[in-house]
Amino acid sequence: MRLGKSIYGPDGKLLLGIGIELTDYYIQRLLDLGVFMIYIDDPLTRDVEIEPLIDEETRLKAVNAVKKALLLASGTMKDKRGILEASGLVEAVDMITDELATKKRTLISVLDLKCYNNYTYEHSVNCCVLGLIMGINSSYNEFKLRNLGLGLLLHDIGKMLIPNEILNKPGTLDPFEFKQIMAHPQNGYRLLQHDDSIPPVARIICLQHHERCDGSGYPRSLAGDSIHEFSKIAAVVDVYDALTSDRVYRRAYRPHQAVAYIKAQSGHRFDNYTVQGFLKHIAPYPLGTTVRLTTGDEAVVVALNEKAPDRPTVRLFRDKFGTDIDPVQEIDLSKEENVHILEVVS
Ligand SMILES: [Fe+2]
């Protein structure tokens, strides 16, 4: 088993190069480092090109800027000016925006986001990437994109005031612990309240990202258009990224499962217009996913269709009787109305 795409460490240094034989030792080391999803080199998909959505360097800069801001907020690092280092955050948002705007592809696969299981900082950057791609598609201007991006990078800053034992508790929270978790939107708002370098709308995203369109959210049970447009985006991307991440209390959902959850809540907990915009950019079946079709054939996803994210092009390699299909055949599901993906095999 060989590695299909190089892996970089949290410091941006190459950990393992493409093509290297994955021994048990390497696999265990990767797991120890928190790398829990990788591309495997497979003869069936060797010709499939994987272009990173954003450069490692950009992601690293963004993660470090968020880390610095969040640590400042938690009071573990004292800044003489007593404010967040907003210039680093603005630079990170602008770099991500520039890269996303110049990329040909607009579909995000889960491996574009899940490099490391360093949840707090990676989650903030992932939400920022997901929200910005939606904002770019909605033709937001530079100003709006920057405000949205900053708010998404900082949306969970209030969690810095919650002890790690509560944040990472595997079991059920007691009422006191639960109250602390529920207070993080307001605490985040307060942390940013006196910081002139942070735009007011970023504070609103902090305050409202757990509000839900049907009024079932917190802290103020706001509903419908009482919730800011950017907060509606934050709600969807926050839940999607959280669901597709491994947490102490549950394993990560597969992308198609997280998409199904978001779709089911569209028009209820989540704003329908926002969900439709989000779904345009998410690949429920990323490249390399093995699926079973309604014909009974097994196939692997080899190309994504930008206009129909849930209808990728697949390569059939085994028929419904378990016999290998040789030579393999490809079908573009966006053109085959009668064939559907029945389930994800691996
Ligand atoms: Fe949150």
Side-chain angles (χ1 to χ4, degrees), residues 22-312:
L22 286 164
T23 60
D24 289 347
Y25 172 76
Y26 280 143
I27 292 169
Q28 191 53 53
R29 288 286 294 136
L30 290 173
L31 287 170
D32 292 345
L33 286 165
V35 180
F36 65 105
M37 265 194 240
I38 55 171
Y39 281 106
I40 302 291
D41 178 37
D42 183 327
L44 192 62
T45 52
R46 193 165 286 154
D47 56 320
V48 176
E49 273 192 43
I50 305 156
E51 188 208 3
L53 186 70
I54 56 169
D55 288 346
E56 286 295 327
E57 203 183 324
T58 305
R59 165 172 283 277
L60 193 62
K61 270 196 176 165
V63 168
N64 285 334
V66 172
K67 193 172 178 178
K68 190 172 177 188
L70 266 54
L71 288 176
L72 273 171
S74 73
T76 53
M77 257 169 71
K78 293 284 176 221
D79 183 77
K80 279 178 193 150
R81 291 161 296 171
I83 58 166
L84 303 180
E85 191 50 74
S87 61
L89 295 169
V90 171
E91 196 188 339
V93 169
D94 288 351
M95 281 177 78
I96 294 171
T97 305
D98 287 348
E99 282 199 35
L100 292 174
T102 52
K103 282 275 152 61
K104 271 180 272 169
R105 76 179 164 110
T106 59
L107 265 184
I108 296 185
S109 288
V110 74
L111 265 167
D112 289 322
L113 306 175
K114 308 295 167 192
C115 309
Y116 266 84
N117 200 8
N118 184 350
Y119 187 70
T120 311
Y121 311 124
E122 297 278 349
H123 172 66
S124 305
V125 175
N126 290 344
C127 288
C128 180
V129 170
L130 288 165
L132 284 176
I133 208 161
M134 291 167 70
I136 291 166
N137 191 58
S138 298
S139 303
Y140 284 2
N141 63 24
E142 197 183 328
F143 178 72
K144 277 182 89 171
L145 287 171
R146 190 177 285 168
N147 285 350
L148 172 65
L150 274 173
L152 290 169
L153 283 182
L154 295 170
H155 74 279
D156 264 343
I157 197 167
K159 281 193 176 168
M160 298 309 287
L161 304 182
I162 305 173
N164 271 334
E165 307 85 78
I166 298 179
L167 279 179
N168 297 321
K169 188 174 172 181
T172 318
L173 299 173
D174 68 34
F176 174 72
E177 293 165 337
F178 198 59
K179 207 173 157 190
Q180 291 200 60
I181 297 274
M182 299 272 282
H184 82 273
Q186 281 156 314
N187 286 338
Y189 181 86
R190 284 192 202 109
L191 275 169
L192 300 177
Q193 203 169 14
H194 303 295
D195 193 331
D196 293 338
S197 65
I198 304 297
V201 71
R203 300 201 285 268
I204 298 292
I205 293 174
C206 249
L207 183 65
Q208 296 184 346
H209 72 277
H210 285 283
E211 298 288 359
R212 296 293 179 256
C213 281
D214 58 2
S216 64
Y218 63 92
R220 292 195 285 165
S221 306
L222 298 178
D225 286 338
S226 311
I227 306 170
H228 193 282
E229 174 188 349
F230 289 0
S231 308
K232 290 176 181 171
I233 292 176
V236 174
V237 298
D238 179 33
V239 167
Y240 179 79
D241 191 66
L243 287 177
T244 51
S245 301
D246 262 336
R247 306 306 302 278
V248 280
Y249 42 86
R250 61 153 172 77
R251 295 302 307 268
Y253 280 36
R254 300 293 296 261
H256 68 286
Q257 295 168 321
V259 161
Y261 175 84
I262 303 257
K263 270 186 184 172
Q265 293 296 338
S266 183
H268 307 286
R269 290 165 71 80
F270 302 124
D271 173 62
N272 186 44
Y273 179 81
T274 309
V275 171
Q276 297 316 313
F278 172 76
L279 294 175
K280 284 182 196 163
H281 302 292
I282 294 296
Y285 308 104
L287 291 176
T289 307
T290 303
V291 295
R292 194 181 325 280
L293 304 177
T294 44
T295 54
D297 296 332
E298 270 185 67
V300 61
V301 175
V302 291
L304 302 177
N305 287 319
E306 298 275 334
K307 293 200 170 123
D310 58 346
R311 309 284 291 159

Side-chain angles (χ1 to χ4, degrees), residues 291 293 299-303 312-316 329-333 341:
V291 295
L293 304 177
V300 61
V301 175
V302 291
T313 296
V314 296
R315 195 169 284 170
L316 275 52
Q329 297 165 24
E330 271 183 25
I331 51 170
D332 180 346
L333 292 176
I341 291 172

